[in-house]
Amino acid sequence: MNKASRLFWPALVTPKNAVVKQTEQLSRSQKLLTELGLVKSGSNGTYQIMPIAQRSVDKFIDLVDGNMKRAGGQKISLPILTPTGLWKKTGRLEGDISEFYMVRDRSGKQFLMSPTHEEAVTAMLATTAPISYRQMPLRLYQIGPKFRDELKSRFGLMRAKEFLMKDMYTFDVSEETARGTYSVVSEAYDRLFKQLEVPFVKVNAATGMMGGSLSHEYHYVSPVGEDTLLQCSSCGYAGNAEVLDSKVEASTDCPSCHSSHLSQVRGVEVAHTFLLGEKYSKPLGATFLNTSGKPQSLVMGCYGIGITRVLASALEVLSTEQELRWPKLLAPYDVCLIGPKQGSKEQQPAEVIENELLQHIGKICGDQELLHDDRKELTIGKRLLDAKRLGHPLTIVVGATAVQQEAPKLELHVSGGEKMELEINDALKLVAEYSRQKKSLLKGNALQDADERISQSVGHQL
């Protein structure tokens, strides 16, 4: 079980009447994550993720893994260092590489600290024993650190110099089957972002330096977004403004239906899909043996999701200025339980209920989803304020009302909602319902019998 007293949780403490000089524009998520001790700045553009936030990162990685494997993905790991010679072969070394980190080893050989791995994974296949058409399609993905020397690293994890990314690279025998793969992976992306329950916009996008014939971006709409998105209320078209040749004006006609019903919003790009064709496979010699036994260039796609950027951007969209709000599937803990203050007159009888609640809640949602705020030297009010700012979906307080002789009540706070005073069984039923909703998001509407048994178990009286 997770105990608040044991957490490494270096929250910032600002003395009263202190004058805080703001040296940079902070996003809402950056401010809260930093103040609450969930993320610390390592250096300009790099961040240290503390244990509470790391739980959310790990949950998102698990969610991404599940969706990628469901789409036929196989997980791999590629070296962070990519020889620059590979990028020279594909022509990308001659492009704008001002944002990329270069390093040399002691022999003078130059490497990129990879911002992306198209060349590396394609070269890997090019040096593999002949691949048969029977092995296609190949859908290989990894989750790991990427690097960009951002000119304006800002808004914390939303635009950092080092970040976590999921990148998938797919290989097919033809343009037709590659488009089929594009549809399969895009459906997985759609499903993933719907599971997060954060409003998102999927837009047509420019292929840029990645190249290829087809591209889409996934955005969270936010004032701190750096992309201008166009949405048409007539036909439903959505696109990044950069896909239009002319300068974007409010009166620009829709490129799909030619109406003037376009609106502009700001977006944070959190994922990107590309159909690349033979842009990388041809220059790097990545082939497969076709039905005639002859080598033929692989047809490629690539698909990225910013792991840490999604986390920060989701919080940016959902949170208030004072309190974090998490997507259900990414909240560090489902339930925070706060017991009586040390030395209070209700401490002894309340702790009996507190300990029994710990057992019952642990059975309902799992011990790892329960945070016990056992810092009893602090008042209930101080611990409750921390719980609210951290955005725990459900916070249960075992205070004086829990030990009153007639109709004992627990105080229950839903993130973003009103305080409720509930009888013990009703509070447990609410925990079970929340747990059921989470599992429904993960599995679909068909819940397993085990989940139903968990919901039924809350009928036991304490």
Side-chain angles (χ1 to χ4, degrees):
M1 185 182 301
N2 304 286
K3 293 186 177 293
S5 63
R6 301 300 304 150
L7 278 175
F8 182 56
W9 179 11
L12 293 180
V13 178
T14 304
K16 288 184 179 180
N17 304 320
V19 178
V20 180
K21 290 186 178 181
Q22 201 64 40
T23 58
E24 62 173 320
Q25 181 186 0
L26 297 181
S27 65
R28 180 184 301 161
S29 59
Q30 179 184 9
K31 180 175 179 289
L32 287 169
L33 288 171
T34 303
E35 287 180 355
L36 292 168
L38 274 60
V39 169
K40 288 177 65 66
S41 176
S43 60
N44 181 30
T46 67
Y47 295 91
Q48 302 154 348
I49 298 175
M50 300 297 105
I52 295 177
Q54 185 64 48
R55 287 179 59 86
S56 295
V57 172
D58 292 343
K59 287 183 176 186
F60 189 40
I61 288 174
D62 288 343
L63 190 63
V64 170
D65 276 331
N67 279 285
M68 291 302 98
K69 288 170 183 174
R70 186 172 167 183
Q74 301 179 63
K75 197 170 188 179
I76 61 172
S77 293
L78 296 168
I80 288 171
L81 298 178
T82 299
T84 54
L86 294 178
W87 279 57
K88 189 171 183 179
K89 285 183 180 180
T90 61
R92 288 212 290 181
L93 202 62
E94 281 67 52
D96 182 6
I97 57 171
S98 57
E99 289 187 343
F100 302 156
Y101 288 100
M102 302 278 194
V103 297
R104 294 181 185 274
D105 65 13
R106 65 185 68 193
S107 68
K109 189 173 182 180
Q110 194 173 45
F111 297 85
L112 277 162
M113 293 181 68
S114 299
T116 184
H117 276 87
E118 284 77 16
E119 283 83 357
V121 71
T122 309
M124 178 186 76
L125 291 187
T127 57
T128 301
I131 299 169
S132 168
Y133 70 91
R134 293 187 180 90
Q135 295 173 262
M136 299 293 110
L138 273 179
R139 298 167 186 169
L140 307 175
Y141 80 98
Q142 62 175 350
I143 297 175
K146 297 289 187 293
F147 303 87
R148 288 182 185 271
D149 187 9
E150 296 282 2
L151 183 62
K152 294 181 179 179
S153 56
R154 54 182 176 171
F155 303 144
L157 296 175
M158 292 171 67
R159 183 163 289 280
K161 294 187 175 185
E162 180 179 346
F163 49 94
L164 275 180
M165 181 175 165
K166 188 284 304 180
D167 42 327
M168 172 180 270
Y169 306 96
T170 63
F171 300 88
D172 280 271
V173 300
S174 67
E175 179 80 11
E176 181 183 0
T177 59
R179 285 184 176 271
T181 287
Y182 192 89
S183 294
V184 169
V185 181
S186 294
E187 286 171 8
Y189 273 38
D190 294 344
R191 181 172 59 247
L192 171 68
F193 282 103
K194 287 174 183 174
Q195 285 177 306
L196 293 179
E197 298 185 299
V198 182
F200 68 94
V201 180
K202 182 180 179 179
V203 302
N204 296 308
T207 55
M209 74 169 295
M210 301 292 286
S213 59
L214 182 64
S215 178
H216 291 89
E217 293 170 346
Y218 292 74
H219 285 263
Y220 286 150
V221 174
S222 169
V224 301
E226 298 188 345
D227 287 87
T228 299
L229 311 179
L230 301 177
Q231 294 178 294
C232 178
S233 58
S234 293
C235 69
Y237 169 86
N240 194 311
E242 67 182 0
V243 304
L244 298 180
D245 294 331
S246 59
K247 185 179 178 182
V248 178
E249 302 291 348
S251 60
T252 300
D253 289 342
C254 173
S256 179
C257 71
H258 306 295
S259 76
S260 59
H261 300 155
L262 279 182
S263 60
Q264 294 185 29
V265 293
R266 303 296 292 175
V268 180
E269 182 192 338
V270 290
H272 210 146
T273 59
F274 296 89
L275 188 60
L276 298 172
E278 299 175 348
K279 174 179 171 65
Y280 299 91
S281 56
K282 268 198 171 178
L284 294 172
T287 61
F288 69 99
L289 298 181
N290 61 23
T291 54
S292 302
K294 294 185 177 179
Q296 186 175 325
S297 292
L298 289 162
V299 182
M300 190 174 171
C302 69
Y303 308 84
I305 295 175
I307 300 294
T308 41
R309 183 180 284 193
V310 165
L311 180 65
S313 302
L315 291 172
E316 188 71 26
V317 171
L318 299 177
S319 301
T320 69
E321 292 295 331
Q322 298 300 322
E323 298 176 4
L324 290 171
R325 299 279 187 273
W326 300 88
K328 272 192 190 72
L329 297 182
L330 303 189
Y333 308 96
D334 290 351
V335 182
C336 175
L337 184 67
I338 298 174
K341 186 181 187 302
Q342 185 176 328
S344 63
K345 61 182 180 180
E346 68 270 8
Q347 181 182 2
Q348 187 173 356
E351 282 183 342
V352 174
I353 296 173
E354 177 187 16
N355 291 330
E356 291 181 345
L357 277 172
L358 289 171
Q359 298 298 317
H360 281 261
I361 294 172
K363 288 178 182 177
I364 294 169
C365 65
D367 286 338
Q368 284 305 306
E369 295 301 326
L370 171 60
L371 176 65
H372 181 205
D373 195 337
D374 59 338
R375 300 173 299 161
K376 295 190 175 180
E377 71 280 5
L378 302 178
T379 65
I380 286 178
K382 171 66 173 80
R383 286 177 283 162
L384 182 58
L385 179 62
D386 284 345
K388 285 185 172 182
R389 294 203 75 203
L390 285 168
H392 300 305
L394 300 174
T395 300
I396 298 174
V397 177
V398 186
T401 58
V403 296
Q404 58 192 14
Q405 290 186 350
E406 295 183 7
K409 298 284 181 71
L410 299 174
E411 194 176 296
L412 191 144
H413 300 260
V414 178
S415 179
E418 297 292 325
K419 177 184 84 171
M420 295 179 279
E421 289 193 351
L422 300 175
E423 292 184 3
I424 293 170
N425 278 348
D426 290 334
L428 289 174
K429 285 177 182 177
L430 198 148
V431 173
E433 173 59 20
Y434 182 85
S435 184
R436 190 200 68 80
Q437 290 173 5
K438 270 188 65 180
K439 286 168 182 166
S440 179
L441 282 174
L442 285 170
K443 303 175 185 176
N445 293 326
L447 296 176
Q448 296 179 353
D449 292 341
D451 301 324
E452 294 172 359
R453 286 198 299 272
I454 288 175
S455 295
Q456 294 166 2
S457 71
V458 301
H460 299 299
Q461 296 286 333
L462 290 182

